[in-house]
Amino acid sequence: MKLKPPINLAWIRFTSCSGCQLMLLNCEPSLAELARIVAIRDFPLASSTLGKNTEIDIGLVEGSITTPSELERLLAFRRKVHLLVAVGACALTAGVNSLVRGERRQAMTKVYAEQGDDWNTFPPQPVAHFVKVDGQIPGCPPEPGELLNSIGTLLNGGWAGHQVMPVCMECRINENPCLLERDRAPCLGPITLAGCNARCPNLGVPCEGCRGVVAEANRDELCRLFKTAGLTDQDISHRLERFGETT
């Protein structure tokens, strides 16, 4: 059902770098038109307005959940939001926040010394582990156009479409040399969901897999190629774990 302006829109941030919010704010040519349609009720990087008791039409969630207080805020947010959209790799898979290996408390002490002993945290979790998620916008950070298209589609009563092919195909379309074959670089393009126009490989940088795994990904073949390129089983495992994938 098409929503009638002004649409109450809120953006809530949990454990993350705020890069997803920044990508939307970087869409300067479209912000005036967007502001004409939506009423911002919460948006940490854009407004000091807090719509604590306001019903929200579209709620955007950035970041992974890492503390009991964040979980309480998420549950309260879900109760007042009509459509909840998880934005970015941290919200979808826990992202780079989940890269800590080994004993978590030891890692916190190593980084924050004794002050970290009093912090009540748990391993970073995706938003969908706790609440219903109506839509997803992948990426680290998401593509600006994908953010605008997703919001625009929801305003008009639809669901944003997403690519179903891997980043590898976008590389071929752009006529890029294959970094995996040419340089034996650990590129995750063969199994990563497209939609970024192969942003990193276009610059000669191997795909990090931040958009998540494409459907029917051939993980076995990618592991074979990685081993041919000289990666060990541990290297491959660490590479795939970066954005939530496992071997």
Side-chain angles (χ1 to χ4, degrees), residues 1-4 58 83 150-160:
M1 181 179 69
K2 184 175 181 179
L3 302 176
K4 293 182 179 178
I58 298 176
L83 294 174
S150 296
I151 294 172
T153 304
L154 289 171
L155 293 176
N156 286 282
W159 297 103

Side-chain angles (χ1 to χ4, degrees), residues 54-69:
T54 305
E55 292 293 320
I56 303 298
D57 297 305
I58 298 176
L60 304 167
V61 179
E62 172 187 10
S64 55
I65 309 302
T66 64
T67 67
S69 62

Side-chain angles (χ1 to χ4, degrees), residues 15-218:
T15 300
S16 62
C17 68
S18 298
C20 299
Q21 292 177 76
L22 191 58
M23 292 308 288
L24 181 57
L25 295 178
N26 282 342
C27 301
E28 290 96 342
S30 302
L31 292 184
E33 179 65 17
L34 184 63
R36 191 181 62 80
I37 302 170
V38 304
I40 300 297
R41 299 307 182 190
D42 200 345
F43 200 133
L45 277 190
S47 172
S48 57
T49 300
L50 296 175
K52 290 185 177 179
N53 299 315
T54 305
E55 292 293 320
I56 303 298
D57 297 305
I58 298 176
L60 304 167
V61 179
E62 172 187 10
S64 55
I65 309 302
T66 64
T67 67
S69 62
E70 285 187 338
L71 178 55
E72 289 181 11
R73 287 175 56 215
L74 174 64
L75 295 175
F77 190 65
R78 174 69 271 195
R79 284 193 287 271
K80 65 181 181 181
V81 169
H82 177 54
L83 294 174
L84 188 147
V85 181
V87 182
C90 292
L92 268 60
T93 67
V96 295
N97 298 327
S98 62
L99 284 180
V100 173
R101 299 186 181 91
E103 209 283 319
R104 180 174 174 79
R105 183 58 61 183
Q106 289 181 358
M108 289 185 63
T109 301
K110 183 178 180 181
V111 175
Y112 300 106
E114 64 274 8
Q115 65 179 336
D117 294 340
D118 298 329
W119 294 346
N120 185 13
T121 70
F122 51 76
Q125 301 291 314
V127 171
H129 280 191
F130 303 106
V131 298
K132 177 189 175 186
V133 172
D134 301 302
Q136 299 183 348
I137 304 176
C140 182
E143 293 297 311
E146 196 167 9
L147 278 167
L148 290 173
N149 288 338
S150 296
I151 294 172
T153 304
L154 289 171
L155 293 176
N156 286 282
W159 297 103
H162 294 291
Q163 287 283 3
V164 294
M165 63 182 184
V167 170
C168 223
M169 291 300 295
E170 293 179 318
C171 241
R172 297 296 175 92
I173 293 170
N174 294 340
E175 299 184 354
N176 292 331
C178 178
L179 299 176
L180 185 55
E181 292 182 348
R182 188 192 67 178
D183 301 338
R184 296 195 167 191
C187 184
L188 292 173
I191 66 167
T192 300
L193 181 67
C196 60
N197 191 32
R199 180 178 289 275
C200 294
N202 286 346
L203 299 172
V205 177
C207 173
E208 295 288 333
C210 73
R211 294 181 57 81
V213 178
V214 69
E216 301 181 3
N218 192 341

